[in-house]
């Protein structure tokens, strides 16, 4: 496999996963809500986009509808939790399970190919302007995805600094306090879940077009990938502010894809990637703690020796 294909492919997939990671960051870090709807809403976004495109739909409108479909999935989880008073973790699991059957209904079969279809990927790379650029053509898709991700990152930063966004943040930090100020936390939880899964659905729709097919199983393990991106990004780039955290999770998603590409290049099987992801998350969670302990012990020994 050529090096430039590995580099551009890892960056492009990392940017798509970065959109999903921003959604996961919103629920897990901002709302402090363990939302497992992600596995289902990611596949739902891919199923909606692929089905509409193969039916002759405009790829950009189809991608937008995948965003709305993901938001609808988040709304179902929110209703189960806030109105049905079902535990948040269980509500996400129930929606995820239900979405598997819904995705099969949307696609009509387990797999929908998009190899010869008109997609956003083909429109960006196969138009006359892009083809006239020669070797620079390889970066067109990367640049387009980067602009989309930056726009979403800016939108999320702006939203989280509005009054409503501050209420969502306060709901995750101290729900009792924000309720005492007259804020309906059921509404803020609903908003957070809808926005989060809308981004996940958008990522699913883009990934289906990028890889050339939508599959009922394409969402399996997405929540782990999203968490890995968030955790790796926070460890490597830091998360002292919202502005820094949102760019960190995108960077974490790109780093994650490079690690996966490196693992495949070293000869590991694709079936081993879930194990690699789990090990990455464990290392990202535990290494900073143990490194901090080692540094503290080292300073103590140095101080004792000087004494």
């Amino acid at each position: 496999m050529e090096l430039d294909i590995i580099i551009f492919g890892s960056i492009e997939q990392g940017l798509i996963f970065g959109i999903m990671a921003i959604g996961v960051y919103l629920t897990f870090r901002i709302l402090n809500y363990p939302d497992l709807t992600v596995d289902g809403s990611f596949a739902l976004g891919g199923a909606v986009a692929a089905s509409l495109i193969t039916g002759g739909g405009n790829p950009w409108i189809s991608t937008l509808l995948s965003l709305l479909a993901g938001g609808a999935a988040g709304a179902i989880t929110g209703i189960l939790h806030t109105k049905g008073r079902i535990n948040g973790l269980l509500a996400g699991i129930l929606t995820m399970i239900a979405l598997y059957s819904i995705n099969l209904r949307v696609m009509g079969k387990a797999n929908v190919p998009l190899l010869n279809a008109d997609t956003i990927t083909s429109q960006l790379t196969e138009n006359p302007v892009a083809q006239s650029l020669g070797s620079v053509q390889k970066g067109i898709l990367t640049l387009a995805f980067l602009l989309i991700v930056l726009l979403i990152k800016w939108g999320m930063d702006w939203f989280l600094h509005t009054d409503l966004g501050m209420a969502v943040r306060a709901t995750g930090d101290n729900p009792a306090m924000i309720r005492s100020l007259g804020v309906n936390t059921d509404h803020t939880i609903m908003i957070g879940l809808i926005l989060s899964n809308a981004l996940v659905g958008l990522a699913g729709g883009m990934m289906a077009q990028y890889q050339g097919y939508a599959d009922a199983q394409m969402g399996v393990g997405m929540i782990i990938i999203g968490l890995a991106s968030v955790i790796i990004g926070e460890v490597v780039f830091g998360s002292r502010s919202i502005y820094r955290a949102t760019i960190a999770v995108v960077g974490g998603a790109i780093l994650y894809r490079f690690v996966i590409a490196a693992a495949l290049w070293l000869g590991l099987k694709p079936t081993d990637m879930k194990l690699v992801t789990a090990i990455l998350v464990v290392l990202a969670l535990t290494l900073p703690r143990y490194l901090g302990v080692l540094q503290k012990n080292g300073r103590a020994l140095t101080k004792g020796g000087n004494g």
Side-chain angles (χ1 to χ4, degrees):
M1 186 178 293
E2 297 181 7
L3 184 60
D4 58 343
I5 295 177
I6 295 176
I7 293 174
F8 281 109
S10 297
I11 294 174
E12 289 160 3
Q13 291 185 53
L15 289 170
I16 295 175
F17 283 136
I19 297 173
M20 178 186 68
I22 292 175
V24 172
Y25 169 78
L26 180 59
T27 50
F28 276 83
R29 284 290 189 256
I30 300 297
L31 266 184
N32 195 25
Y33 185 101
D35 181 28
L36 298 186
T37 315
V38 170
D39 283 16
S41 56
F42 186 87
L44 176 63
V48 168
S51 298
L52 291 173
I53 289 171
T54 53
N58 180 281
W60 295 96
I61 296 176
S62 300
T63 305
L64 176 61
L65 291 175
S66 70
L67 180 146
L68 298 178
I76 293 172
T77 300
I79 291 171
L80 291 176
H81 176 60
T82 60
K83 305 304 179 184
R85 299 303 171 189
I86 299 175
N87 175 270
L89 189 63
L90 181 57
I93 293 173
L94 289 172
T95 306
M96 176 185 66
I97 292 173
L99 284 174
Y100 182 81
S101 296
I102 293 173
N103 293 337
L104 288 174
R105 285 280 186 177
V106 171
M107 293 189 293
K109 51 187 176 180
N111 185 286
V112 176
L114 294 170
L115 294 178
N116 297 317
D118 184 26
T119 64
I120 58 173
T121 302
S122 65
Q123 286 190 1
L124 290 170
T125 58
E126 297 175 8
N127 63 77
V129 175
Q131 292 179 347
S132 67
L133 295 176
S135 59
V136 182
Q137 179 187 2
K138 296 179 180 179
I140 293 294
L141 198 59
T142 304
L143 179 61
F145 285 174
L146 178 62
L147 292 175
I148 293 172
V149 170
L150 289 177
L151 182 62
I152 292 171
K153 178 235 181 318
W154 175 84
M156 186 59 66
D157 292 343
W158 170 81
F159 169 74
L160 291 175
H161 286 85
T162 62
D163 290 342
L164 181 56
M166 295 290 284
V168 172
R169 292 166 61 182
T171 300
D173 290 335
N174 194 334
M177 180 273 293
I178 197 66
R179 277 195 297 267
S180 68
L181 297 177
V183 175
N184 188 328
T185 53
D186 286 354
H187 291 169
T188 53
I189 291 173
M190 282 283 294
I191 291 169
L193 288 171
I194 290 172
L195 286 177
S196 171
N197 284 281
L199 293 178
V200 173
L202 174 62
M206 291 178 63
M207 181 57 73
Q209 296 175 71
Y210 179 81
Q211 65 188 8
Y213 68 92
D215 190 274
Q217 299 284 347
M218 67 183 290
V220 175
M222 284 302 116
I223 185 60
I224 300 300
I225 294 175
L227 283 174
S229 302
V230 171
I231 294 167
I232 293 171
E234 290 178 342
V235 169
V236 175
F237 302 105
S239 57
R240 294 182 180 179
S241 66
I242 295 295
Y243 300 106
R244 188 168 179 176
T246 50
I247 198 65
V249 298
V250 175
I254 295 173
L255 286 177
Y256 166 80
R257 286 309 309 174
F258 271 109
V259 171
I260 295 299
L264 291 171
W265 183 74
L266 290 173
L268 273 71
K269 297 180 179 179
T271 52
D272 296 329
M273 293 306 102
K274 302 298 182 187
L275 175 61
V276 173
T277 301
I279 293 173
L280 273 176
V281 174
V282 171
L283 290 176
L285 287 171
T286 56
L287 277 181
R289 181 178 302 174
Y290 286 108
L291 289 175
V293 171
L294 290 175
Q295 290 176 354
K296 183 178 179 181
N297 291 338
R299 287 195 296 270
L301 289 172
T302 304
K303 185 177 180 180
N306 291 336

